[in-house]
Amino acid sequence: MEALNELCDIIEQNPKQFLDKLPWICQQCPQPKLLCAESPRVSQSHLNGVLAVTRILSRNLDTSQNDAKFVVLDFLQALRSSISAFYFSFLGYVSCLSLEFGTIVVELVMMSCCGETESEDRDQSISMAFLSAVSQHFPTIQQSDGDNLITVLLHQFPADELSIGYSKGSKDVFLHKVASFEDESIECLEKQEIAFKLVTNVLCKVKLDSQLYLLVRSIAKRQLQSMYAFLKSRRQDWNTQDPLLKTRVNAKLFVYQAAAQMEIGSLMSLETDGKKRLIMEALTLLINIAEACFTSLWRSMKACKDLFISLLSGTAKIATAEAGQPLRLLLTRLKPLILAVCAQPDTSVSSQGNMFESVFKISCEIIVSGWAKDQASVNAFIVGLASSIRERYDYGEQDGREKQVPDVLLNVIQLLADISVAVKKPEVADKNFPSLIESLDECDVSSPHSLRLQLLEVVSRIASLGFEKSYRQTVVLMRRSYLSQISVESNTSAPESRSKHIETLPAGFLTIACGLMKTKLRADYRHRLLSLCSDVGLASESKSGGSGAEFLGPLLPAVAEICSDFDPNSNVEPSLIKLFRNLWFYIALFGLAPPILNTPLSEVKTTSKSVNSAGRISTFSLRAVLGPYMWNTQWALAVKRISQGSTPLVVSSAKWLEDEFELNLLHNSDSLRGTGNKKVASAQRTALSIVVGGRIDMSRNSIIQRLQMVA
């Protein structure tokens, strides 16, 4: 350091001759990359360099570059961040210690609030960092410490800063409040926020002196009244040309959030004869403010969304703790509040904001906490919310384009599913489910695709929870809906209607297969899916002019998933073996199996032409044997998974196919020339080659030769 001091002396005495040494001194300081590190390590030589640079700059020498200034600014920023991080971590540990440590922390807080630790020319950011950390990690304290700290905190601010209110209907009072707000500094607002947070912490730790408690309640109430007026203000009430307006509004919203928490904390610690009346009044005001948040001029700001979440969370905490009338009041007011949030244009299913997430979390908390205390009221809330999706919407004026579904409908549907999945109560699912399943059942070609997709997704999620009633109703409806499309001729079926089954319903089947955990229900679902595949294959086979692959293929991923935990070595019912046999038969008939031979494409075309000319084997079936694979690759992967999990059944099916194949050759050779029997015979031969290829004592070449001999 002595060498640097001597160099600084020389530069000050001869600035024109030696000022070019300043960049070298800057190199001795901590560099930006080091300061940006998660845990910067600053050495003594770094500190000496910063002191030297700062000394030269303080002499107001004519420096032609700004590098030296940036060195000092970067160091100050890093110092402030490091101090804040230190206090936050340090007080997090101290808050877990004994009362003795709490008393010392309270003394330091009071000294910081009174300014006793600060000199007039010193930056107060260190004290603010300390106070902010204490407000988040408050220690255990004694009764007397709490009273003393509250007294100091409430005397640090003039009465217009803490207690001025808003008289209903008095425009002059509000305009005065706006004017005074625009004169408030950011530093003043930050101090208010910290003060309210500290008061709330004290309320949670000790029981206050009655006079201090009344003072806190009075301040909190007036802050809430002011908050409501602030949120209901209009754009013309403010000086929108003020470049710092949004910054101050942001800070003010943080103050209001801290004040709301102070009010909630005071209510939770309330012990008076008129407690219920005070709580009902406070709940009404808090819910009014929450409603004002999402209609506010400032609703797009994160601080406003955080305030909304804080208000709802606090009201739920109070109402569930008291139950009875407060809980019923909250549930009554919460339903229209939820619908209003869901109806917001910027709260869509694709980009759900914090407000949507908050009403979901609060709803779950209320249902879980209030279930044992007032089940009837909670049930009424759930049923009322679910009934809102049964409203009729007129799509008649939207002909000729994709019909638009109101945001509120899609969001409520999503909310009901999220609640059912999160709460995991059969009773809750049973209350939500009827409206959802009835709406899905009533969907037809004229219904918007987005609505059908949303309904199907949520009922599948609820069904996957494994509650008997919702599971069975969903599977029965989806099965019936899927089969109904196959009965319609493809040339008369609208593309929109067909895509419903090809895209959305199989996705729902897969969701259920992935979500079901109960062994009994998985076995039931396995049987139902395989039975559906048989019915789909039979219905598709009887239709002319179309391939059943487009209907059977989408079901294969769900079948593969529900068979993933199936033990084929266990005792298997004959009915299940038959269903597996049918599945493999239709996989072969529709050419859905992946090729078992890697044959060049040119050879496949030649062979296909010669065989087809004999009228024995379809192009689809032969390509399944030789390649190339012509359907969705996910279907091919599903076929492989099914075969790997059902080997003994596959061999059994293969033997059955082989027996049928031989019978057809020996006894029905004449009838094989018929159109229907020709398809069946070719499917049997192809199924034999696909199913048993590599699994019984017959090489793949032998299989191909055998097929060609028969052809």
Side-chain angles (χ1 to χ4, degrees):
M1 187 61 190
E2 292 182 3
L4 278 176
N5 283 333
E6 292 178 3
L7 180 58
C8 289
D9 292 338
I10 295 173
I11 293 174
E12 290 176 9
Q13 295 170 7
N14 304 281
K16 293 183 179 180
Q17 184 176 359
F18 295 103
L19 197 58
D20 59 346
K21 302 298 182 181
L22 183 58
W24 179 85
I25 301 178
C26 291
Q27 292 297 319
Q28 312 310 307
C29 302
Q31 299 303 300
K33 184 176 181 180
L34 173 64
L35 294 175
C36 292
E38 184 175 352
S39 300
R41 294 181 177 274
V42 180
S43 64
Q44 184 63 47
S45 61
H46 286 149
L47 297 177
N48 293 340
V50 172
L51 287 175
V53 171
T54 309
R55 172 186 170 183
I56 294 174
L57 291 177
S58 68
R59 298 298 187 266
N60 296 318
L61 299 179
D62 185 17
T63 58
S64 59
Q65 57 174 324
N66 289 324
D67 289 350
K69 181 179 69 174
F70 290 138
V71 164
V72 178
L73 289 175
D74 290 344
F75 182 76
L76 285 174
Q77 291 287 354
L79 181 64
R80 181 166 61 182
S81 299
S82 298
I83 290 175
S84 297
F86 165 76
Y87 278 140
F88 188 84
S89 299
F90 176 67
L91 290 169
Y93 301 130
V94 171
S95 63
C96 302
L97 301 178
S98 64
L99 287 171
E100 180 183 1
F101 291 89
T103 297
I104 296 174
V105 170
V106 168
E107 291 175 356
L108 292 173
V109 170
M110 291 189 293
M111 291 171 62
S112 297
C113 290
C114 296
E116 296 179 12
T117 60
E118 301 290 340
S119 58
E120 293 183 0
D121 59 346
R122 183 178 175 184
D123 185 3
Q124 297 185 11
S125 62
I126 295 179
S127 289
M128 291 296 290
F130 171 73
L131 293 174
S132 179
V134 174
S135 70
Q136 297 182 66
H137 293 292
F138 200 77
T140 303
I141 60 173
Q142 301 181 37
Q143 173 70 45
S144 58
D145 291 335
D147 291 340
N148 293 335
L149 181 56
I150 293 287
T151 301
V152 170
L153 288 171
L154 297 185
H155 283 80
Q156 295 305 304
F157 307 98
D160 62 338
E161 289 184 0
L162 282 181
S163 60
I164 189 169
Y166 172 72
S167 300
K168 185 176 182 180
S170 177
K171 185 68 174 177
D172 293 337
V173 174
F174 174 62
L175 292 177
H176 170 72
K177 186 63 179 175
V178 170
S180 64
F181 161 74
E182 292 181 338
D183 292 334
E184 287 181 293
S185 66
I186 302 297
E187 292 77 11
C188 177
L189 293 172
E190 289 176 348
K191 287 181 179 179
Q192 289 184 43
E193 179 191 359
I194 291 175
F196 291 149
K197 286 183 176 180
L198 290 171
V199 171
T200 304
N201 276 296
V202 173
L203 289 170
C204 295
K205 297 291 184 179
V206 296
K207 181 180 177 181
L208 286 183
D209 173 79
S210 58
Q211 294 300 319
L212 286 176
Y213 179 82
L214 291 176
L215 180 58
V216 169
R217 290 274 301 125
S218 175
I219 293 173
K221 182 177 180 179
R222 295 187 181 186
Q223 281 289 320
L224 293 181
Q225 293 171 336
S226 174
M227 189 190 320
Y228 183 76
F230 184 89
L231 293 169
K232 298 291 285 186
S233 64
R234 300 169 299 173
R235 188 176 299 276
Q236 55 265 35
D237 295 329
W238 303 95
N239 178 17
T240 56
Q241 303 301 316
D242 182 1
L244 296 178
L245 178 62
K246 283 193 173 181
T247 304
R248 278 201 292 269
V249 167
N250 196 66
K252 189 66 173 180
L253 290 172
F254 282 134
V255 172
Y256 281 144
Q257 183 177 342
Q261 288 300 311
M262 185 170 68
E263 165 73 350
I264 292 165
S266 68
L267 289 172
M268 294 296 291
S269 61
L270 186 62
E271 296 180 1
T272 63
D273 294 336
K275 178 179 181 179
K276 181 170 291 188
R277 179 183 60 81
L278 293 175
I279 285 179
M280 293 294 289
E281 291 178 356
L283 279 178
T284 300
L285 182 54
L286 287 169
I287 297 173
N288 288 341
I289 296 172
E291 291 174 343
C293 276
F294 65 84
T295 60
S296 170
L297 173 64
W298 324 107
R299 66 179 177 274
S300 61
M301 298 178 67
K302 184 179 183 302
C304 190
K305 294 178 181 179
D306 290 343
L307 174 60
F308 176 82
I309 296 170
S310 179
L311 289 166
L312 279 189
S313 178
T315 54
K317 185 184 300 183
I318 296 170
T320 53
E322 295 298 320
Q325 191 175 0
L327 180 58
R328 290 192 290 273
L329 169 65
L330 175 60
L331 292 174
T332 302
R333 296 288 303 275
L334 189 59
K335 178 191 170 183
L337 180 60
I338 289 174
L339 294 178
V341 172
C342 290
Q344 289 291 308
D346 55 351
T347 307
S348 62
V349 172
S350 58
S351 60
Q352 294 163 354
N354 291 335
M355 290 186 176
F356 184 92
E357 293 297 323
S358 66
V359 296
F360 156 65
K361 293 178 180 178
I362 297 305
S363 299
C364 292
E365 289 177 11
I366 292 174
I367 292 171
V368 172
S369 302
W371 191 263
K373 297 180 178 179
D374 193 345
Q375 185 174 337
S377 297
V378 174
N379 274 335
F381 166 71
I382 298 171
V383 172
L385 199 59
S387 65
S388 63
I389 71 171
R390 303 290 295 139
E391 298 179 25
R392 297 292 187 265
Y393 293 93
D394 183 11
Y395 300 111
E397 299 178 359
Q398 301 184 28
D399 293 338
R401 61 186 176 90
E402 169 66 16
K403 299 175 176 60
Q404 299 298 312
V405 184
D407 289 329
V408 62
L409 185 57
L410 295 179
N411 284 323
V412 170
I413 291 171
Q414 182 68 42
L415 180 65
L416 291 174
D418 291 345
I419 290 174
S420 299
V421 172
V423 174
K424 289 184 173 60
K425 280 183 175 291
E427 300 88 347
V428 174
D430 290 345
K431 296 295 180 183
N432 285 333
F433 198 72
S435 295
L436 294 169
I437 200 73
E438 289 171 15
S439 299
L440 180 60
D441 194 22
E442 293 174 4
C443 281
D444 53 24
V445 178
S446 64
S447 303
H449 178 66
S450 58
L451 177 59
R452 293 201 304 264
L453 181 64
Q454 184 78 349
L455 283 168
L456 178 63
E457 193 272 337
V458 299
V459 297
S460 300
R461 287 179 61 198
I462 295 176
S464 68
L465 295 174
F467 303 141
E468 291 274 351
K469 183 177 179 180
S470 55
Y471 159 74
R472 297 190 185 281
Q473 287 184 357
T474 301
V475 175
V476 169
L477 174 61
M478 290 171 61
R479 173 192 171 87
R480 184 175 71 242
S481 181
Y482 201 80
L483 288 173
S484 67
Q485 179 60 26
I486 305 177
S487 64
V488 181
E489 291 293 336
S490 59
N491 56 357
T492 62
S493 180
E496 172 70 12
S497 178
R498 293 174 68 83
S499 67
K500 165 188 174 182
H501 299 271
I502 295 174
E503 297 175 6
T504 59
L505 280 171
F509 284 121
L510 180 59
T511 297
I512 299 174
C514 294
L516 281 179
M517 296 299 174
K518 295 181 180 178
T519 303
K520 178 182 176 182
L521 286 185
R522 287 189 67 83
D524 176 80
Y525 191 55
R526 185 181 304 113
H527 196 281
R528 288 175 183 269
L529 267 187
L530 290 172
S531 178
L532 174 61
C533 290
S534 292
D535 292 341
V536 167
L538 181 62
S540 301
E541 182 188 357
S542 63
K543 292 172 62 66
S544 60
S547 170
E550 63 179 299
F551 292 108
L552 181 60
L555 296 175
L556 295 179
V559 174
E561 182 61 36
I562 200 62
C563 292
S564 61
D565 60 341
F566 177 61
D567 180 11
N569 296 310
S570 61
N571 292 327
V572 182
E573 296 180 358
S575 60
L576 191 60
I577 295 178
K578 181 179 179 180
L579 290 175
F580 268 106
R581 287 171 174 170
N582 292 344
L583 175 65
W584 284 109
F585 173 82
Y586 288 116
I587 285 175
L589 177 63
F590 302 137
L592 285 166
I596 63 173
L597 295 179
N598 296 322
T599 305
L601 183 60
S602 58
E603 295 183 24
V604 172
K605 290 181 177 178
T606 303
T607 307
S608 176
K609 182 177 180 180
S610 63
V611 174
N612 280 335
S613 65
R616 298 298 188 191
I617 302 177
S618 69
T619 303
F620 290 166
S621 298
L622 190 58
R623 283 190 178 180
V625 179
L626 300 175
Y629 189 60
M630 60 184 301
W631 300 110
N632 188 313
T633 55
Q634 296 301 316
W635 302 352
L637 293 175
V639 171
K640 290 181 179 179
R641 289 183 64 191
I642 296 170
S643 67
Q644 291 168 359
S646 57
T647 302
L649 295 180
V650 169
V651 173
S652 177
S653 299
K655 291 179 179 178
W656 170 76
L657 286 171
E658 184 176 13
D659 292 341
E660 292 294 317
F661 171 68
E662 296 293 347
L663 286 174
N664 279 325
L665 285 180
L666 295 175
H667 304 293
N668 299 302
S669 58
D670 293 336
S671 64
L672 286 177
R673 293 188 177 87
T675 303
N677 286 333
K678 180 178 65 176
K679 289 180 63 179
V680 173
S682 66
Q684 289 174 346
R685 292 192 292 270
T686 308
L688 174 63
S689 64
I690 294 169
V691 172
V692 306
R695 300 192 187 279
I696 62 176
D697 189 17
M698 181 184 291
S699 68
R700 292 178 178 177
N701 290 334
S702 299
I703 294 172
I704 300 300
Q705 292 175 4
R706 184 171 181 180
L707 285 172
Q708 291 175 343
M709 288 174 61
V710 174

